[in-house]
Amino acid sequence: MAGENTSSASIADFEKSLNELEQLVRDLEQGELSLELSLAAFERGVKLTRECQSALKSAEQRVEQLVQNSDGTLETRPFSTDDEQ
């Protein structure tokens, strides 16, 4: 159960970071921030992007795929994307 709470917290943190990043992008696109505030928003955005990428990479490593063998048995294997081959 503790793992579920950690996972839920991680998902909530990821979504919070993603929402903040989206807001920063909107603010920067409007072009109404001062140079100093724009730089601070950009730096925060870079930090949030790295955190989100790290969280996604961590989640990707936990995902497994269920595959059917030629004899009809099922087994799980780590998920791999096409570009990892």
Side-chain angles (χ1 to χ4, degrees):
M1 288 289 207
E4 284 182 30
N5 289 339
T6 302
S7 178
S8 296
S10 296
I11 292 170
D13 289 344
F14 175 81
E15 290 189 9
K16 181 181 174 188
S17 293
L18 191 57
N19 288 334
E20 184 180 349
L21 182 57
E22 289 172 345
Q23 183 60 51
L24 286 170
V25 169
R26 283 191 294 273
D27 292 346
L28 287 167
E29 286 177 339
Q30 288 177 354
E32 297 179 9
L33 297 175
S34 68
L35 179 58
E36 185 175 329
L37 289 175
S38 292
L39 287 172
F42 177 79
E43 289 171 353
R44 177 71 179 147
V46 169
K47 181 178 188 251
L48 289 169
T49 299
R50 288 182 180 147
E51 289 173 3
C52 288
Q53 287 174 335
S54 176
L56 287 173
K57 185 70 173 173
S58 176
E60 183 180 271
Q61 291 172 347
R62 294 191 320 249
V63 173
E64 292 183 341
Q65 60 185 347
L66 183 62
V67 292
Q68 186 172 13
N69 296 320
S70 58
D71 63 359
T73 61
L74 298 175
E75 73 175 280
T76 58
R77 294 183 189 158
F79 179 78
S80 63
T81 58
D82 293 335
D83 61 349
E84 291 181 1
Q85 295 178 357

